[in-house]
Amino acid sequence: MTRRGPGRPRDPATDAAILAAAMELFVERGIDAMSIEQVAKRAGVAKLTVYRRWTAKEQLVAHAIEWVIEQHEWPSNAEIATGTPAEIVESTLDASAELAASPEFRALIARILGSSVSNPTLMATYWKHYILPRREATAVMLDNAKQAGMIAADADVDVLMDMMAGAVVYRVLQPDPPDAAEMRRYLTELYRRAGLLP
């Protein structure tokens, strides 16, 4: 994740400019064709400013991906782990549908999938720092759903998480991408079939 350098407190606006530039370059060129120098130039900052925050481009891009997703109002990991499954799902439906229906999200998913082969370091960094903590919180939510009798007691939560995530990726990368309204309908049906909505 990010590393704080010595000296003055970091400027959030500078962080945002760097992360936005990194995301733009990642989507445009892919991880292998971009560099820290290019990010610094596009963000309008010195190269050293970027290196003080992120020591490698894989680390920077992994954080930038999560930063883009965090622009939407998601529940925290603690809220996911402690809220009722239906409450958590319903509270994220609109934001999830808007994000999944956006062209930017489709382009991002395509780049992430491509990078999983060409640059496994990026995927390992993103998985460790961002995906894994969210999966761990979601696993607790699914265990709560088991205890509430919403899903089968012997259901494999890893399989359930992969099914839900995979369904979304498969749908948004089809030639006829859904708009936000259709994506909301799709997600509602998906979560209902998974046993998380009545």
Side-chain angles (χ1 to χ4, degrees):
M1 297 183 70
T2 57
R3 296 179 62 183
R4 185 179 299 278
R8 296 178 301 174
R10 289 202 337 219
D11 179 4
T14 299
D15 284 0
I18 294 169
L19 291 167
M23 181 52 50
E24 290 171 5
L25 286 164
F26 175 61
V27 171
E28 290 173 13
R29 305 177 185 182
I31 185 72
D32 296 319
M34 63 181 288
S35 67
I36 292 288
E37 291 80 359
Q38 293 167 350
V39 172
K41 182 177 180 180
R42 183 166 296 196
V45 301
K47 183 170 62 175
L48 183 58
T49 301
V50 181
Y51 276 115
R52 282 176 175 164
R53 291 160 165 79
W54 297 275
T55 57
K57 66 180 180 180
E58 290 83 8
Q59 186 185 51
L60 170 56
V61 170
H63 192 181
I65 293 169
E66 190 67 11
W67 175 77
V68 167
I69 295 172
E70 285 174 350
Q71 303 309 300
H72 299 263
E73 294 189 6
W74 307 111
S76 67
N77 284 1
E79 289 170 329
I80 291 175
T82 57
T84 67
E87 289 173 346
I88 294 300
V89 169
E90 289 171 354
S91 72
T92 62
L93 268 176
D94 289 336
S96 296
E98 289 288 342
L99 176 64
S102 68
E104 294 80 10
F105 182 76
R106 296 183 72 222
L108 176 59
I109 290 297
R111 280 296 186 194
I112 290 173
L113 292 177
S115 297
S116 67
V117 174
S118 67
N119 196 304
T121 301
L122 169 63
M123 291 307 300
T125 301
Y126 184 49
W127 185 272
K128 177 180 178 181
H129 293 292
Y130 303 106
I131 296 180
L132 189 57
R134 185 54 64 104
R135 282 179 70 92
E136 290 171 346
T138 303
V140 175
M141 181 189 74
L142 291 173
D143 283 335
N144 292 340
K146 282 186 181 182
Q147 295 174 18
M150 298 173 68
I151 60 179
D154 62 349
D156 187 315
V157 296
D158 282 323
V159 171
L160 278 174
M161 287 188 284
D162 289 348
M163 286 172 57
M164 290 187 286
V168 173
V169 170
Y170 183 79
R171 184 65 189 91
V172 302
L173 291 182
Q174 290 181 22
D176 58 337
D179 59 17
E182 170 57 20
M183 198 66 219
R184 193 184 195 286
R185 184 206 66 78
Y186 182 86
L187 289 173
T188 300
E189 182 64 13
L190 173 63
Y191 294 137
R192 182 174 291 123
R193 295 295 180 182
L196 297 177
L197 289 176

